[in-house]
Amino acid sequence: MDETVAEFIKRTILKIPMNELTTILKAWDFLSENQLQTVNFRQRKESVVQHLIHLCEEKRASLNDAALLDIICEDVDLFDMKQFKNSFKKILQRALKNVTVSFRETEENAVWIRIAWGTQYTKPNQYKPTYVVYYSQTPYAFKSSSTLRRNTPLLGQALTVASKHHQIVKMDLRSRYLDSLKAIVFKQYNQTFETHNSTTPLQERSLGLDINMDSRIIHENIVEKERVQRITQETFGDYPQPQLEFAQYKLETKFKSDLNGSILAEREEPLRCLIKFSSPHLLEALKSLAPAGIADAPLSPLLTCIPNKRKNYFKIRDK
């Protein structure tokens, strides 16, 4: 396949939102169903594009094939980034006379937005901006922490109207790592249980056991380690975890006692407490607890459900 054709196809595919990509490729009908099934559409878009270009090279796509893909894309109502920018900016400027909005597009159908907030009477504070990353044709945006929380509803309104979605999804999920947030929100990490491949059986690996130990105890330890390893892989998979730094649990419960006249039992207000787990890489740390013998397997679902529930802030109340 000619390099010019490859570049044309690449640029065309990059314009297509991920949620429309499979539909458009099937409408193109150049790549077979079997070929499309070899593509992991949960990867980063750059990786998906590279795989698709490789498949096109194998089939020796021509300029006519590339042109047909471009025509199909034009027939689809794709996201208008220019319209989004204008609409977003107007909404903020109408509500706040003094506000500075800047945009930067990326190849992942995302736009980075920098907002310096002012008021009706003060100029925008360029030293304390809010950063937002919005992914086109999705109800998701990622926002940096901001001291001006009073502007959060306005920001949500601007994103909702400009994106033409009914609402922007609010999620109790926070991290300093954008790639990990994206992986969790868009479920781009490998969620399928993968069998742990190793050329050395567990029984033959070093388990740190005393060679003088009773053989029955050694066997029991091996069986237990195999059980823990199996449960850990079924729970977390055999792939790197998204990087989060903490998980926070707010508990509200009422004191229960069979004793009459207990001061706490008569208390109408619930007892409240806050539990926070923190680590430079929390999910990997949780994954290592049972194999290290620090916790029993399986771990509590409240700890293992973080990626699937797409949240690391929890409120737990008595039913």
Side-chain angles (χ1 to χ4, degrees):
M1 182 172 66
D2 187 84
E3 289 184 6
T4 306
V5 175
E7 182 63 23
F8 185 24
I9 293 175
K10 178 182 177 182
R11 293 192 179 190
T12 304
I13 294 175
L14 284 171
K15 292 190 300 182
I16 305 172
M18 285 298 289
N19 59 342
E20 297 280 353
L21 188 53
T22 306
T23 303
I24 290 177
L25 290 173
K26 287 180 178 179
W28 186 29
D29 200 27
F30 177 72
L31 299 174
S32 68
E33 186 70 30
N34 289 337
Q35 285 178 309
L36 291 178
Q37 287 178 358
T38 66
V39 182
N40 182 2
F41 288 97
R42 291 182 297 185
Q43 299 180 94
R44 293 174 65 89
K45 191 167 187 180
E46 292 90 338
S47 301
V48 175
V49 172
Q50 288 177 3
H51 193 164
L52 291 171
I53 294 299
H54 176 70
L55 294 175
C56 291
E57 287 175 344
E58 288 182 345
K59 289 199 67 175
R60 298 187 178 183
S62 67
L63 185 58
N64 286 336
D65 296 319
L68 178 59
L69 176 61
D70 187 49
I71 291 171
I72 292 171
C73 289
E74 292 300 320
D75 288 340
V76 178
D77 183 18
L78 297 179
F79 181 77
D80 189 335
M81 185 63 77
K82 185 176 181 180
Q83 186 180 33
F84 170 84
K85 291 178 181 179
N86 290 336
S87 177
F88 181 86
K89 200 169 184 176
K90 283 180 180 177
I91 292 168
L92 293 187
Q93 289 177 337
R94 284 173 183 169
L96 296 172
K97 182 179 180 181
N98 294 311
V99 62
T100 303
V101 184
S102 306
F103 301 93
R104 183 174 71 85
E105 295 179 42
T106 69
E107 291 186 349
E108 292 185 314
N109 292 306
V111 56
W112 283 72
I113 310 170
R114 180 186 185 275
I115 308 164
W117 303 96
T119 67
Q120 297 288 353
Y121 311 104
T122 61
K123 292 183 178 180
N125 187 343
Q126 302 294 340
Y127 297 100
K128 293 183 179 180
T130 298
Y131 294 94
V132 179
V133 183
Y134 172 69
Y135 287 83
S136 63
Q137 293 193 323
T138 75
Y140 300 110
F142 303 90
K143 182 180 78 70
S144 66
S145 59
S146 173
T147 55
L148 297 174
R149 293 186 179 181
R150 65 177 181 272
N151 291 328
T152 299
L154 176 60
L155 176 60
Q157 180 186 355
L159 286 169
T160 302
V161 174
S163 65
K164 298 181 180 179
H165 274 278
H166 294 299
Q167 65 175 358
I168 295 296
V169 179
K170 185 179 184 300
M171 307 181 76
D172 294 320
L173 180 67
R174 297 181 189 176
S175 174
R176 289 182 295 178
Y177 300 94
L178 178 60
D179 286 343
S180 292
L181 290 173
K182 284 164 45 188
I184 293 174
V185 170
F186 296 123
K187 296 188 180 292
Q188 293 173 334
Y189 63 97
N190 190 342
Q191 299 177 88
T192 306
F193 168 66
E194 300 176 6
T195 303
H196 183 71
N197 296 320
S198 176
T199 56
T200 309
L202 181 62
Q203 289 88 341
E204 298 177 13
R205 292 180 225 155
S206 173
L207 299 176
L209 302 176
D210 188 344
I211 59 174
N212 297 319
M213 189 180 293
D214 189 306
S215 60
R216 290 170 297 182
I217 297 177
I218 292 176
H219 174 73
E220 186 175 334
N221 284 339
I222 290 174
V223 171
E224 175 60 16
K225 284 181 179 290
E226 286 181 330
R227 184 190 74 84
V228 170
Q229 184 186 57
R230 184 185 69 255
I231 291 175
T232 299
Q233 289 181 5
E234 288 173 351
T235 303
F236 292 95
D238 196 18
Y239 44 84
Q241 301 296 303
Q243 190 165 359
L244 301 176
E245 305 89 63
F246 67 92
Q248 183 172 296
Y249 301 82
K250 287 185 177 180
L251 309 181
E252 288 190 7
T253 184
K254 288 198 173 183
F255 184 80
K256 298 179 178 65
S257 174
D258 295 331
L259 300 175
N260 294 325
S262 169
I263 296 176
L264 290 177
E266 294 176 355
R267 176 188 170 102
E268 293 184 2
E269 282 291 313
L271 299 171
R272 296 182 177 89
C273 68
L274 177 67
I275 300 173
K276 186 173 182 179
F277 297 87
S278 60
S279 167
H281 203 324
L282 179 66
L283 295 180
E284 285 291 348
L286 293 175
K287 184 178 179 180
S288 67
L289 288 178
I294 299 173
D296 292 332
L299 296 178
S300 167
L302 287 172
L303 296 174
T304 59
C305 73
I306 293 172
N308 287 332
K309 286 190 176 292
R310 299 188 291 187
K311 61 193 295 188
N312 57 351
Y313 277 80
F314 296 86
K315 291 182 179 179
I316 305 168
R317 296 184 176 91
D318 281 340
K319 292 183 179 179

